[in-house]
């Protein structure tokens, strides 16, 4: 088949050419065979960095190269042992760096795979969702508004179908799609109106198509290189840290040069000083910082996945910690989206419906008496519309049926009914089935000939069905919007003009239902005469006869109330934005504790009447936006941002994409969200749950704090190391640490504990703090001071221990080795104690030391390794160490403990002072005098 002629073929020829069945789809076996034959439906990826290259990259660092050069020289000069040890340490360091980076890259790749697209196919007559990569030519694909077209397809059905093809054609206005053959042989892509191209988006309507090309054969495949747009995977913090790293290199090198010069001036041998200087530079430069940051981010992101939040853009992890407002959809995010119709309203009659969930068992009651739908014309009409203007299906879960085996009913087993489709429509399907008018029973009599799908702009949907030679329009939607399209009303079984009085009655009934937190839908119909045109939505949805209302419950999610309270404590405001009725929205907002006293609820209509200035004045006080259209969301985000907020915004539909993109953290729904919204988002909730956003924010805050923790640890350690050497040289003392010892400290005490800090548990009050400012420096909240002061204390104490030991026999070579061992042990121990300090924003005494098992393990192994270096005979000559006696250990412990003790006491005293200054405000809230 000529690749460019698919658009010319009628459906039958299409079936022959592709060996497929346009009703039942391919069989599973054929699909499998074709997958082997044609390969996966994927665009080939750009080249990846091989593990070998990643390993070799570890040696690229300038100072490491200098160290290798120096080692080579010392090897040539006969210092074999030194040279071998240094090389071994460098290689070990590289392995550690490699493992870190490899893990980081692998987790990033895993993240990408998680958000991989899926497709809805019909195979063996059943509808299934499969990974888009498993599609094969001939597969029958179903598409709806918001879906990404998963392969090149030829449409065989298209209802009000529009596709946005700018990625391919550059044309940003969506083009209409149809299913008819086009005769012209050669057509540019933009004119192939019956073809859907891979990677483009359906922005309206529904469609069905046969896959004609997959993977690199598709039109997108041909220009694959152009669209290999990788998501931004570096965060602003990472970039800032890279810059910081460069500054630190300069500082470290400058100080090292000073140390070397001072040493030489005080009579140290030049070569020895040079090697010590290079080792010091290697140790002091925090080259591991970017990798540890990436790991902390990647592991944090993995923890988020466990809590059902998938991060698509790494920078958003950082922004999450700054979020000050969450704008959330109502249906499905704050509520369960498990709808059940509990009431029907027909021309002044209120009818109650019994039954729970999706099980189609229940009855109708009016004033406590059963209603027989068979003899109730108005009710039958409403049920008919509910069943026909509906795409949902409720089926008995096969697993549940099998559970008791051989059809026996077990007493405790509950029937499980599964919904396929939209929950609002599912509730209506169940309603109709409960009262004896299931879609199945109507199927032989009514054939659907057209559909005008639901969209959140019109807030209604309609279908045209043929029946006994005539045509009937069935419509349903938000009552206020639907009533505008109705000229008549079915009142007490008679069709009458829809007068203002009757309209008011309907509106009052609808508001009453909405006020009790019910989701209210209106129903309408019209018999078409033979000459009535009905091609467009406007034509179909006009002159309708209003038939009645239904009210359905959608219970709030259980965990959401607590999540909202957590947000409030964390200084994060929750705003509900919904397409639903204002009264329904307010009732649910009150149930969930969203609305504070004095909070405002406004409707989309009121919002439209305001200009941005007016909105800005009150947007800080608005907690509920009801009956909004997607374009309102963009205005809301922008207004909140102008008030200085960092905004997280959820969305699921096609038209939500601009707001999701504009928000600081765009959030899409994993279950109900469209591909368009997912692609615009930074975060996907795999369970559509509001509480997951809060969990993600908590993780975001924790990741940031963990990054601060290990920066604090690494930099304070480095300051300590440099200062020990620097002060010694300035004081004209011998080298307190020899090069190998410096490298050892760098390898063993810095790397492992820092990584363990990267996965530390959150502090208890993490979600009681106000959101951090997005422009806050990483050294804010006294972190810079903590690093410098602790670094100085570590340096001074290490040098003090060295000097005290040395002063017992100055000039004695053996005493110098002992003093260097004491300095080495003090430095290691001081850092290992300090690492526990770093876990708390206050001091070591404020947290359980054993809580972070990785850290305990890392510290213990570092200790054991240090003892090995001191006490294992073969290692002593290599590291120039000697065993210490009890008194020397006492000195080491005291010197190493002083920094933590001094800072800890300081922090306990200052928090005591703060507490005594805390007073009660009249509202009963704590306020701390600053
Ligand atoms: P949220 O934006 O919080 O998810 P929502 O689901 O109520 O709220 P929309 O999906 O835009 O928002 O629905 C708006 C209104 O449209 C609903 O209140 C309902 O009256 C009506 N509606 C919803 N689904 C359908 C449907 N499938 N067919 C017809 N009307 C519908």
């Amino acid at each position: 088949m000529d690749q460019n002629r698919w658009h010319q073929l009628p459906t039958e020829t299409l079936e022959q050419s592709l060996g497929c069945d346009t009703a039942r789809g391919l069989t599973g076996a054929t699909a499998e065979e074709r997958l082997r034959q044609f390969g996966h439906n994927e665009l080939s990826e750009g080249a990846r960095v091989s593990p070998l290259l990643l390993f070799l990259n570890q040696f690229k660092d300038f100072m490491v190269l200098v160290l290798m050069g120096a080692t080579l020289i010392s090897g040539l000069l006969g210092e074999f042992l030194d040279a071998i040890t240094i090389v071994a340490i460098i290689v070990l360091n590289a392995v550690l760096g490699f493992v870190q980076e490899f893990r980081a890259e692998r987790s990033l790749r895993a993240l990408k795979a998680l958000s991989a697209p899926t497709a809805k196919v019909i195979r063996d007559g059943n509808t299934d969702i499969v990974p888009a990569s498993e599609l094969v030519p001939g597969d029958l694909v179903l598409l709806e508004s918001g879906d990404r077209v998963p392969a090149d397809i030829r449409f065989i059905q298209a209802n009000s179908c529009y596709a946005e093809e700018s990625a391919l054609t550059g044309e940003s206005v969506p083009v209409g799609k149809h299913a008819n053959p086009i005769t012209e042989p050669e057509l540019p892509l933009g004119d192939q109106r019956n073809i859907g191209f891979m990677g483009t988006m359906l922005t309206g309507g529904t469609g069905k198509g046969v896959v004609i090309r997959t993977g690199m054969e598709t039109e997108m495949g041909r220009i694959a290189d152009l669209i290999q747009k990788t998501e931004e995977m570096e965060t602003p913090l990472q970039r800032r840290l890279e810059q910081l790293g460069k500054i630190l290199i300069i500082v470290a090198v400058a100080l090292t040069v000073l140390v070397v010069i001072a040493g030489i001036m005080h009579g140290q041998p030049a070569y020895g000083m040079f090697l010590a200087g290079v080792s010091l530079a290697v140790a002091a430069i925090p080259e591991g910082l970017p990798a540890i940051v990436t790991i902390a981010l990647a592991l944090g992101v993995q923890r988020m996945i466990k809590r059902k939040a998938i991060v698509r853009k790494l920078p958003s992890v950082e922004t999450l910690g700054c979020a000050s407002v969450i704008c959330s959809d109502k249906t499905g995010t704050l509520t369960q989206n498990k709808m059940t119709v509990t009431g029907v309203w027909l021309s002044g009659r209120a009818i109650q419906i019994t039954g729970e969930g999706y099980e189609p068992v229940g009855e109708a009651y009016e004033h406590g008496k059963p209603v027989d739908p068979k003899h109730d014309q108005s009710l039958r009409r409403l049920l008919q519309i509910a069943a026909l203007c509906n795409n949902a299906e409720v089926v008995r879960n096969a697993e549940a049926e099998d559970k008791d085996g051989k059809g026996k009913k077990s007493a405790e087993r509950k029937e499980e009914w599964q919904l396929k489709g939209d929950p609002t429509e599912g509730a209506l399907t169940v309603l109709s089935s409960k009262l004896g008018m299931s879609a199945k029973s109507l199927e032989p009599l009514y054939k659907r000939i057209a559909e005008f799908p639901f969209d959140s702009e019109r807030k209604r949907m309609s279908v045209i069905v043929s029946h006994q030679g005539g045509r009937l329009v069935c419509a349903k939607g938000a009552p206020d919007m639907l009533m505008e399209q109705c000229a008549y009303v079915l009142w007490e079984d008679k069709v009458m003009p829809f007068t203002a009085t009757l309209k008011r009655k309907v509106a009052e009934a609808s508001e009453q239902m909405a006020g009790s937190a019910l989701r209210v839908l209106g129903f309408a119909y019209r018999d078409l005469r033979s000459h009535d045109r009905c091609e467009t939505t406007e034509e179909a949805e006009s002159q309708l006869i209003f038939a009645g209302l239904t009210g359905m419950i959608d219970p709030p999610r259980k965990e959401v109330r607590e999540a909202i309270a957590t947000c409030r404590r964390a200084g994060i405001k929750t705003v509900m934005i919904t397409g639903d009725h204002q009264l329904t929205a307010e009732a649910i907002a009150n149930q969930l504790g969203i609305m504070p006293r004095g909070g405002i609820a406004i409707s989309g209509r009121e919002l439209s009447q305001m200009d941005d200035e007016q909105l800005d004045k009150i947007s800080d006080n608005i907690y509920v936006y009801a009956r909004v259209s997607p374009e309102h969301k963009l205005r809301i985000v922008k207004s909140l941002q102008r008030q200085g907020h960092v905004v997280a915004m959820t969305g699921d539909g096609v038209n939500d994409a601009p707001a999701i993109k504009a928000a600081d953290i765009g959030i899409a729904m994993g279950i109900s969200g469209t591909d368009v919204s997912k692609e615009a988002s930074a975060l996907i909730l795999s369970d559509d749950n509001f509480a997951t956003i809060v969990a993600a924010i908590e993780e975001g805050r924790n990741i940031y704090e963990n990054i601060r923790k290990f920066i604090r640890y690494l930099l304070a350690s480095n300051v300590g190391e440099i200062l020990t050497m620097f002060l010694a040289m300035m004081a004209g003392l011998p080298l307190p640490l020899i090069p190998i010892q410096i490298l050892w400290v760098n390898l063993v005490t810095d790397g492992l504990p820092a990584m363990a800090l990267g996965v530390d548990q959150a502090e208890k009050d993490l979600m009681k703090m106000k959101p951090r400012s997005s422009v806050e420096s990483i050294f804010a909240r006294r972190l810079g001071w903590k690093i410098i002061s602790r670094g100085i204390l570590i340096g001074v104490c290490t040098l003090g221990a060295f000097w005290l030991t040395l002063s017992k026999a100055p000039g004695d070579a053996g005493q110098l080795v002992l003093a260097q061992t004491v300095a080495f042990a003090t430095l290691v121990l001081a850092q290992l104690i300090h690492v526990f300090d770093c876990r708390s924003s206050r001091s070591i005494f404020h947290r359980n030391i054993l809580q972070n098992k990785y850290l305990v393990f890392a510290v213990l192994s570092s200790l054991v390794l240090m003892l090995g270096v001191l006490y294992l005979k073969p290692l002593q000559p290599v590291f120039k160490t000697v065993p210490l006696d009890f008194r020397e250990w006492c000195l080491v412990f005291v010197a190493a403990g002083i920094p933590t003790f001094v800072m800890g006491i300081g922090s306990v005293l200052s928090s005591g002072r703060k507490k005594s200054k805390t007073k009660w405000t009249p509202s009963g809230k704590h306020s701390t005098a600053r």
Side-chain angles (χ1 to χ4, degrees):
M1 173 74 216
D2 180 344
Q3 289 294 309
N4 294 322
R5 297 288 162 83
W6 292 110
H7 61 272
Q8 292 184 303
L9 301 187
T11 310
E12 309 76 59
T13 331
L14 203 62
E15 283 189 332
Q16 274 168 15
S17 311
L18 288 164
C20 65
D21 175 342
T22 51
R24 295 183 53 79
L26 295 176
T27 62
T30 320
E32 247 173 61
E33 196 193 309
R34 289 192 186 181
L35 190 62
R36 271 195 298 275
Q37 187 187 346
F38 294 100
H40 279 90
N41 174 34
E42 288 165 339
L43 301 181
S44 61
E45 275 198 33
R48 270 189 206 141
V49 183
S50 72
L52 181 66
L53 205 65
L54 206 63
F55 182 68
L56 292 180
N57 275 348
Q58 307 299 320
F59 297 95
K60 245 177 35 191
D61 194 65
F62 176 69
M63 286 321 289
V64 172
L65 289 179
V66 174
L67 186 60
M68 302 261 280
T71 314
L72 192 72
I73 296 170
S74 75
L76 290 178
L77 291 177
E79 303 267 350
F80 287 129
L81 203 56
D82 270 14
I84 291 170
T85 317
I86 292 179
V87 168
I89 294 182
I90 295 173
V91 171
L92 259 176
N93 224 342
V95 170
L96 203 67
F98 166 76
V99 172
Q100 288 174 350
E101 281 188 30
F102 188 70
R103 274 188 77 173
E105 206 200 277
R106 218 181 33 190
S107 6
L108 291 184
R109 228 181 306 141
L111 277 186
K112 276 194 187 169
L114 261 181
S115 43
T118 53
K120 212 189 242 182
V121 290
I122 299 180
R123 283 183 186 163
D124 292 312
N126 297 319
T127 311
D128 240 334
I129 296 192
V130 300
S133 62
E134 287 175 17
L135 287 185
V136 292
D139 253 329
L140 198 56
V141 180
L142 295 176
L143 292 170
E144 59 187 24
S145 174
D147 283 351
R148 164 201 260 275
V149 180
D152 281 1
I153 60 159
R154 166 62 209 279
F155 280 103
I156 55 169
Q157 235 177 57
N159 307 309
S160 316
C161 192
Y162 285 88
E164 204 264 306
E165 299 183 333
S166 61
L168 205 57
T169 60
E171 172 61 61
S172 60
V173 180
V175 289
K177 293 284 171 185
H178 60 74
N180 308 322
I182 308 175
T183 43
E184 282 142 85
E186 296 294 334
L187 274 182
L189 297 184
D191 291 339
Q192 296 186 16
R193 294 298 179 94
N194 54 10
I195 306 280
F197 299 104
M198 182 190 205
T200 61
M201 298 283 181
L202 224 66
T203 56
T206 54
K208 197 190 228 184
V210 185
V211 174
I212 50 176
R213 293 179 289 253
T214 58
M216 292 306 282
E217 294 301 310
T218 60
E219 293 297 337
M220 272 296 178
R222 293 189 196 186
I223 55 162
D225 287 344
L226 294 180
I227 53 139
Q228 291 284 347
K229 43 172 196 271
T230 42
E231 293 296 347
E232 206 183 333
M233 280 299 187
E234 198 174 51
T235 78
L237 178 64
Q238 279 177 305
R239 276 197 297 274
R240 267 190 318 199
L241 284 180
E242 255 166 44
Q243 281 161 4
L244 174 76
K246 281 182 195 142
I247 298 172
L248 288 177
I249 289 178
I250 296 171
V251 174
V253 171
L255 283 176
T256 308
V257 170
L258 267 182
V259 171
V260 174
I261 293 174
I264 295 173
M265 278 170 60
H266 281 94
Q268 298 285 340
Y271 172 69
M273 264 332 285
F274 172 69
L275 202 59
V278 178
S279 310
L280 189 58
V282 169
I285 293 167
E287 73 285 343
L289 209 60
I292 301 184
V293 172
T294 312
I295 291 186
L297 285 168
L299 292 181
V301 161
Q302 242 135 42
R303 278 198 307 275
M304 286 194 193
I305 293 171
K306 283 205 189 106
R307 299 177 77 173
K308 307 264 184 329
I310 300 167
V311 172
R312 286 192 65 247
K313 294 175 187 163
L314 210 47
S316 62
V317 175
E318 242 173 79
T319 330
L320 267 172
C322 310
S324 59
V325 177
I326 308 174
C327 296
S328 172
D329 280 345
K330 171 178 70 70
T331 312
T333 312
L334 296 168
T335 65
Q336 297 179 12
N337 212 3
K338 284 197 182 124
M339 316 240 189
T340 316
V341 176
T342 56
V344 173
W345 186 89
L346 304 162
S347 51
R349 296 165 54 202
I351 297 171
Q352 282 80 45
I353 310 293
T354 61
E356 264 177 36
Y358 291 128
E359 190 178 12
V361 177
E363 278 112 32
Y365 291 90
E366 190 177 356
H367 301 305
K369 292 199 192 95
V371 177
D372 184 357
K374 282 201 198 89
H375 303 111
D376 192 320
Q377 199 191 321
S378 294
L379 181 58
R380 283 175 63 79
R381 178 58 88 179
L382 185 134
L383 296 175
Q384 180 196 38
I385 305 169
L388 291 174
C389 184
N390 199 321
N391 289 321
E393 214 183 323
V394 174
V395 288
R396 202 153 174 189
N397 195 343
E399 265 174 50
E401 272 183 322
D402 289 349
K403 247 186 240 165
D404 58 355
K406 302 176 193 77
K408 263 188 269 157
K409 274 208 184 257
S410 61
E412 73 278 59
R413 185 170 70 87
K414 255 193 141 185
E415 296 289 41
E416 278 202 288
W417 293 85
Q418 221 184 16
L419 165 76
K420 288 190 173 172
D422 172 42
T424 304
E425 298 194 349
L428 296 172
T429 307
V430 173
L431 170 76
S432 312
S433 305
K434 274 179 185 171
L435 303 185
M437 200 175 275
S438 66
K440 275 238 149 47
S441 67
L442 296 179
E443 221 170 56
L445 305 170
Y446 298 86
K447 279 265 156 303
R448 189 183 288 192
I449 43 187
E451 176 186 337
F452 301 99
F454 172 77
D455 72 54
S456 36
E457 212 75 55
R458 280 166 37 250
K459 298 196 178 11
R460 52 180 182 260
M461 151 189 187
S462 50
V463 297
I464 303 176
V465 290
S466 64
H467 172 56
Q468 295 177 344
R471 291 175 303 158
L472 176 72
V473 179
C474 296
K476 70 177 194 311
D480 36 343
M481 317 289 267
L482 188 66
M483 268 154 64
E484 287 169 12
Q485 312 305 119
C486 295
Y488 306 94
V489 61
L490 184 66
W491 198 267
E492 289 167 1
D493 297 346
K494 284 195 237 16
V495 176
M496 302 188 182
F498 208 1
T499 58
T501 322
L502 291 180
K503 275 193 178 163
R504 209 174 43 246
K505 284 195 177 162
V506 175
E508 275 166 13
S510 160
E511 278 172 18
Q512 203 187 357
M513 285 166 129
S516 12
L518 292 180
R519 181 177 177 82
V520 191
L521 247 71
F523 297 80
Y525 69 102
R526 171 161 70 115
D527 278 308
L528 291 174
R529 285 157 300 179
S530 54
H531 60 272
D532 278 340
R533 276 175 57 86
C534 228
E535 307 275 301
T536 63
T537 321
E538 292 73 32
E539 284 167 355
E541 293 172 355
S542 65
Q543 299 290 309
L544 296 173
I545 306 166
F546 193 82
L549 302 167
T550 58
M552 47 186 92
I553 48 161
D554 179 15
R557 284 179 183 265
K558 287 196 186 68
E559 58 282 32
V560 164
R561 217 186 131 79
E562 183 47 39
I564 288 171
T566 306
C567 280
R568 199 170 325 108
R569 285 192 291 270
I572 303 165
K573 174 180 154 179
T574 309
V575 176
M576 177 195 281
I577 302 186
T578 176
D580 216 339
H581 196 285
Q582 183 165 338
L583 292 173
T584 315
E586 271 182 64
I588 292 182
N590 282 327
Q591 282 176 13
L592 289 172
I594 289 181
M595 195 76 137
R597 205 173 292 155
I600 308 175
I602 69 165
S603 70
R605 192 164 291 166
E606 287 169 279
L607 184 56
S608 303
Q609 284 158 2
M610 278 181 213
D611 60 21
D612 283 346
E613 214 173 301
Q614 287 167 313
L615 177 62
D616 286 356
K617 277 195 194 125
I618 56 167
S619 62
D620 242 341
N621 244 336
I622 305 178
Y623 288 80
V624 172
Y625 292 88
R627 275 285 186 263
V628 289
S629 310
E631 78 268 17
H632 288 134
K633 287 191 170 181
L634 190 60
R635 281 190 67 198
I636 299 169
V637 169
K638 293 247 161 98
S639 174
L640 286 167
Q641 284 173 333
R642 282 194 294 271
Q643 310 308 307
H645 284 295
V646 173
V647 185
M649 161 77 85
T650 67
D652 45 15
V654 188
N655 307 337
D656 291 339
I660 294 184
K661 263 202 184 126
D664 301 278
I665 307 148
I667 304 172
M669 302 297 152
I671 304 170
S672 63
T674 53
D675 293 344
V676 178
S677 62
K678 286 182 194 162
E679 273 177 33
S681 71
L683 187 76
I684 299 178
L685 308 179
S686 58
D687 59 355
D688 289 12
N689 189 345
F690 177 85
T692 304
I693 307 176
V694 184
I697 290 181
E698 189 181 340
E699 285 295 349
R701 285 185 174 195
N702 192 27
I703 291 172
Y704 187 82
E705 289 310 316
N706 284 349
I707 290 174
R708 275 169 53 96
K709 286 176 196 170
F710 64 68
I711 286 180
R712 174 177 168 187
Y713 173 66
L714 277 181
L715 296 192
S717 300
N718 290 355
V719 170
E721 286 157 24
I722 292 188
L723 220 69
T724 307
M725 298 291 279
F726 183 68
L727 293 179
M729 294 304 99
M730 295 309 270
L733 294 171
L735 278 180
L737 297 161
I738 61 164
I740 290 180
Q741 290 169 349
I742 298 174
L743 292 172
W744 180 255
V745 171
N746 182 45
L747 174 75
V748 181
T749 50
D750 288 2
L752 280 183
M755 263 179 22
L757 275 182
V759 293
D760 198 26
Q761 292 87 351
E763 282 192 78
K764 266 206 218 85
D765 52 3
L766 185 74
M767 288 303 271
K768 289 188 189 137
M769 296 191 288
K770 292 259 160 315
R772 148 188 121 242
S773 151
S774 55
V775 290
E776 178 189 289
S777 146
I778 188 89
F779 296 113
R781 288 178 272 143
R782 294 163 56 82
L783 193 75
W785 158 248
K786 281 180 187 157
I787 290 171
I788 302 278
S789 56
R790 177 53 68 93
I792 291 176
L793 273 176
I794 292 179
V796 169
C797 290
T798 306
L799 194 64
F802 173 71
W803 182 75
L804 278 176
T805 316
L806 188 69
S807 60
K808 284 190 187 140
D812 178 65
Q815 190 68 17
L816 176 61
V817 172
L818 179 65
Q820 283 171 332
T821 310
V822 166
F824 173 64
T826 308
L827 185 65
V828 170
L829 210 63
Q831 293 187 358
L832 293 183
I833 297 176
H834 176 222
V835 76
F836 289 104
D837 254 327
C838 297
R839 296 184 60 227
S840 167
S841 51
R842 281 165 285 176
S843 80
I844 196 167
F845 306 119
H846 288 89
R847 295 201 70 178
N848 172 4
I849 288 184
L850 301 178
Q851 191 186 12
N852 182 344
K853 303 270 178 305
Y854 296 107
L855 188 62
V856 173
F857 175 74
V859 166
L860 283 181
S861 18
S862 294
L863 270 180
V864 168
L865 286 169
M866 180 188 75
L867 291 177
V869 166
L870 257 61
Y871 287 97
L872 290 180
K873 283 257 159 1
L875 293 181
Q876 286 169 350
V878 179
F879 287 91
K880 313 277 185 317
T881 50
V882 285
L884 303 181
D885 66 16
F886 180 71
R887 282 200 9 227
E888 284 140 11
W889 271 120
C890 287
L891 174 65
V892 167
F893 270 99
V894 170
I898 284 176
T900 291
F901 192 68
V902 170
M903 304 293 270
I905 296 288
S907 135
V908 169
L909 286 182
S910 80
S911 71
R913 257 201 318 276
K914 259 190 202 156
K915 248 186 216 151
S916 65
K917 280 190 193 169
T918 307
K919 59 179 184 210
W920 287 95
T921 58
S923 68
K925 284 181 195 155
H926 272 297
S927 88
T928 305
R930 283 174 194 249

